[in-house]
Amino acid sequence: MLPPRSVPSERAPGVPEPEELWEAEMERLRCSGAPVRGLPYAMMDKRLIWQLREPAGVQTLRWQRWQRRRQTVERRLREAAQRLARGLGLWEAALYEIGGLFGTGIRSYFTFLRFLLLLNLLSLLLTASFVLLPLAWLRPPDPGPALNLTLQCPGSRQSQPGVLRFHNQLWHVLTGRAFTNTYLFYGAYRVGPESSSAYSIRLAYLLSPLACLLLCFCGTLRRMVKGLPQKTLLGQGYQAPLSAKVFSSWDFCIRVQEAAIIKKHEISNEFKVELEEGRRFQLMQQQTRAQRACHLLSYLRVNILIGLLVVGAISAIFWATKYSQDNKEESLFLLLQYLPPGVIALVNFLGPLLFTFLVQLENYPPNTEVNLTLMWCVVLKLASLGMFSFSLGQTILCIGRDKTSCESYGYNACDYQCWENSVGEELYKLSIFNFLLTVAFAFLVTLPRRLLVDQFSGRFWAWLEREEFLVPKNVLDIVAGQTVTWMGLFYCPLLPLLNSVFLFLTFYIKKYTLLKNSRASSRPFRASSSTFFFQLVLLLGLLLAAVPLGYVVSSIHSSWDCGLFTNYSAPWQVVPELVALGLPPIGQRALHYLGSHAFSFPLLIMLSLVLTVCISQTQANARAIHRLRKQLVWVQEKWHLVEDLSRLLPEPGPSDSPGPKSPASQASRPRSFCPGFPCPGSPGARAPPPGPSVVDAAGLRSTCPGPHGTPASARRFRFPSVAEL
């Protein structure tokens, strides 16, 4: 506790008394705005400081006490809610087990899968809240019968009678035909004119996909910045101190044997990641200029070959999609339904194998080999989806083609009377096929391979061994499925519900595969680097889905006989109509100005200036960090020189004034922390010893004796300034 003021003794002239120092310290603590909870004092001292801070006046005291109690209750409730959220979090126990056994890199994949599940549930919540519930609650008037258009289609094909026998209920479910008249697809949403209801279902249906994409973009960008690797800010030469991990990694609260084993594996995986990164950095530093030039030429050669393979793969996807759509009335139509998804899956399966083979021929280091293959796998995965989207647009919307029906109706109305449903069915089939492929590969390939390897022994089975759980490959698979879901938000509004079910089942399938049928990757991944890579690929998939959706919403004519926008040249035309109906002229002019070039160009210039300032600030911070690191190295070198000199010089006598002591040398000697006033929590004031006192740089008088009878303040060493160094 804080002791009473001590009786002063003889002091040197100009030195403050302990009573004055005690009063100054009490005044500083009373006027300080620092929370009492964070002060390094005992509870009795904290109560005394609390009483000193209490203002005079009963009413004010009661009000402040009530405010303090309310803040304490809110803090405790917040902490309890956080503990409850962590305890009831989805898959927390499974993620802890996976992280302990296989490292944080593999655990980040399952965490990323949970993040995608939450994004899909959020999209589903937005669609259900703003479209489905109002549609069921308001019960808009019947829009009347659909338009019966007489299309003049030369050479139109008729359905063959033999096709119906193949159309059983299973094929209807797999192709989406069983849900054509449900809210799963665009064509089932029908409402009356806009003036008949106060709530616009059309506007909600139009803005819900855009809002979902915007929220997913913000969440992905936030998670991407949060998972930014620390070495990007600290520099490539930064090495994490392994001593901190050695002495502070263990959790001494562990009492269960299973938890202890998991913790041991987790610490071991962290050391493997650190040592592997250190080895790769050392190999990069040892390369000569000639070796780097040879590697650059080999990179160019391999990249050209892989680029040609990617072009051939996306060309195969284009022709497969075009053939499937042009022969939709043939007797083999049911087999052609899944031709584009099958070709996409085949391309994405054979592509990484060929990429890995070509890269291994050049004898690259393992790190370079993995990074180069991964880069081209990302390009192939996203390019295949982009080509699939473009081929659908060329076939259905006549992009780059000249047809009579396209000139009259804005799309291929002869073959696709409700083209939004047709696009939705294609994306639905692609999502179904991706999930079925995941299930088949887990139980028809990985599981039999594990059983055969465990059952038989031999050189071949030892070479085959269990399948390696490749984190990048699995991430690209679920990113492709999520990209397909985002592409279908307008055509298939309930596709996030379907993808949520698939992600939920995929988690348990991948967990079973990892724990039972696979082995961990030979190359360890750092969690921060993995998270950054996952979010970057997901962001690219989001942009790939947003660009076609924005083009369709703003420029493509809607179907004439289905959906919400039958009477509009484009879905976005409903926005100007609602603005003209619901806003006064001043609001209309304001919105018109916000959408004009007069507002866009100044906004673009301002954003460019803000971005320039942010980049400049980041570069300045990086330079400051580099200078501080250099200064730290200089100070450490000076201390080493001081220690060497202290070993060479003779030991000073009792009357000699000792020289500067380094922190390492001072750490072995007893040090006194009592200032010139009584320390909080001490039993009482100490009488100062007779003799002269020393005033340190802060103006505080130190009377605590040190070794050899020398005052502690007399032994203090002043750190040299940067100019002196």
Side-chain angles (χ1 to χ4, degrees), residues 367-432:
N367 182 39
T368 305
E369 177 182 327
V370 172
N371 292 335
L372 187 60
T373 306
L374 181 58
M375 180 190 68
W376 280 108
C377 289
V378 172
V379 172
L380 178 62
K381 183 73 72 171
L382 297 180
S384 61
L385 292 178
M387 181 54 66
F388 176 72
S389 177
F390 175 76
S391 60
L392 284 180
Q394 189 180 44
T395 305
I396 298 176
L397 304 178
C398 302
I399 298 177
R401 298 177 63 184
D402 295 330
K403 293 190 71 173
T404 306
S405 60
C406 296
E407 297 176 359
S408 304
Y409 306 104
Y411 62 96
N412 190 359
C414 294
D415 298 331
Y416 306 94
Q417 296 186 3
C418 187
W419 67 267
E420 290 89 351
N421 275 14
S422 300
V423 176
E425 290 176 2
E426 294 296 329
L427 298 176
Y428 171 86
K429 289 185 291 186
L430 189 57
S431 181
I432 290 284

Side-chain angles (χ1 to χ4, degrees), residues 658-672:
K661 302 295 188 299
S662 66
S665 61
Q666 287 186 355
S668 61
R669 298 185 178 184
R671 301 180 63 181
S672 176

Side-chain angles (χ1 to χ4, degrees), residues 268-588:
S268 174
N269 291 323
E270 290 181 0
F271 279 112
K272 288 179 182 178
V273 171
E274 295 291 346
L275 295 176
E276 179 67 20
E277 289 189 355
R279 188 183 65 84
R280 290 200 300 265
F281 180 75
Q282 185 178 6
L283 290 177
M284 291 176 59
Q285 295 296 324
Q286 293 176 353
Q287 288 183 354
T288 62
R289 291 186 178 181
Q291 291 176 345
R292 293 177 182 177
C294 294
H295 286 169
L296 180 59
L297 294 177
S298 62
Y299 288 162
L300 293 177
R301 180 173 63 253
V302 171
N303 287 330
I304 291 175
L305 293 176
I306 296 178
L308 294 177
L309 289 177
V310 170
V311 171
I314 61 177
S315 300
I317 295 172
F318 172 78
W319 290 110
T321 307
K322 187 175 182 301
Y323 181 80
S324 174
Q325 296 297 321
D326 291 343
N327 297 275
K328 59 182 298 185
E329 300 298 337
E330 298 293 337
S331 58
L332 296 178
F333 173 59
L334 290 177
L335 298 179
L336 298 176
Q337 286 273 3
Y338 281 91
L339 180 61
V343 174
I344 292 175
L346 183 63
V347 164
N348 288 301
F349 176 74
L350 295 179
L353 297 179
L354 294 176
F355 299 162
T356 304
F357 176 73
L358 291 176
V359 172
Q360 287 179 349
L361 290 178
E362 301 294 335
N363 295 324
Y364 290 140
N367 182 39
T368 305
E369 177 182 327
V370 172
N371 292 335
L372 187 60
T373 306
L374 181 58
M375 180 190 68
W376 280 108
C377 289
V378 172
V379 172
L380 178 62
K381 183 73 72 171
L382 297 180
S384 61
L385 292 178
M387 181 54 66
F388 176 72
S389 177
F390 175 76
S391 60
L392 284 180
Q394 189 180 44
T395 305
I396 298 176
L397 304 178
C398 302
I399 298 177
R401 298 177 63 184
D402 295 330
K403 293 190 71 173
T404 306
S405 60
C406 296
E407 297 176 359
S408 304
Y409 306 104
Y411 62 96
N412 190 359
C414 294
D415 298 331
Y416 306 94
Q417 296 186 3
C418 187
W419 67 267
E420 290 89 351
N421 275 14
S422 300
V423 176
E425 290 176 2
E426 294 296 329
L427 298 176
Y428 171 86
K429 289 185 291 186
L430 189 57
S431 181
I432 290 284
F433 188 82
N434 288 337
F435 176 70
L436 294 179
L437 194 64
T438 301
V439 175
F441 197 83
F443 294 103
L444 299 181
V445 177
T446 308
L447 179 59
R449 178 176 176 178
R450 190 262 298 179
L451 294 176
L452 291 175
V453 169
D454 294 346
Q455 184 68 26
F456 300 100
S457 61
R459 189 172 298 178
F460 172 76
W461 301 108
W463 170 81
L464 183 63
E465 65 180 349
R466 293 189 178 189
E467 183 188 4
E468 184 178 3
F469 191 87
L470 299 176
V471 174
K473 175 183 177 299
N474 290 279
V475 168
L476 290 180
D477 291 340
I478 60 175
V479 166
Q482 185 62 43
T483 304
V484 172
T485 302
W486 281 333
M487 293 170 64
L489 285 176
F490 184 77
Y491 317 103
C492 191
L494 296 184
L495 196 58
L497 174 62
L498 191 65
N499 196 38
S500 300
V501 176
F502 292 162
L503 290 175
F504 186 82
L505 298 177
T506 301
F507 181 90
Y508 291 100
I509 293 173
K510 293 298 181 180
K511 178 187 174 184
Y512 172 78
T513 302
L514 175 64
L515 297 177
K516 302 297 183 180
N517 301 331
S518 300
R519 57 185 174 89
S521 176
S522 58
R523 178 177 181 262
F525 289 90
R526 183 181 293 273
S528 59
S529 303
S530 303
T531 303
F532 180 79
F533 166 73
F534 298 164
Q535 306 304 323
L536 179 61
V537 178
L538 185 63
L539 196 61
L540 294 177
L542 179 63
L543 296 177
L544 180 63
V547 171
L549 180 60
Y551 175 73
V552 166
V553 166
S554 60
S555 304
I556 301 301
H557 200 292
S558 303
S559 298
W560 289 97
D561 59 346
C562 71
L564 296 171
F565 307 99
T566 54
N567 298 323
Y568 295 90
S569 58
W572 188 255
Q573 294 299 321
V574 70
V575 177
E577 180 182 350
L578 290 175
V579 168
L581 290 176
L583 290 181
I586 298 178
Q588 296 180 22

Side-chain angles (χ1 to χ4, degrees), residues 6-26:
S6 61
V7 179
S9 302
E10 295 182 359
R11 298 286 186 266
V15 178
E17 299 290 337
E19 182 179 7
E20 298 176 359
L21 293 175
W22 188 87
E23 293 178 354
E25 178 67 12
M26 292 300 99

Side-chain angles (χ1 to χ4, degrees), residues 53-69:
R53 291 185 179 183
E54 293 289 350
V58 180
Q59 298 297 330
T60 307
L61 183 60
R62 290 177 180 176
W63 170 256
Q64 288 189 352
R65 285 181 177 177
W66 181 83
Q67 289 279 5
R68 197 177 301 122
R69 291 194 190 98

Side-chain angles (χ1 to χ4, degrees), residues 77-95:
L77 289 177
R78 192 182 309 112
E79 293 175 354
Q82 292 177 357
R83 290 194 300 268
L84 183 63
R86 287 193 298 266
L88 299 179
L90 186 62
W91 302 323
E92 286 292 339
L95 292 175

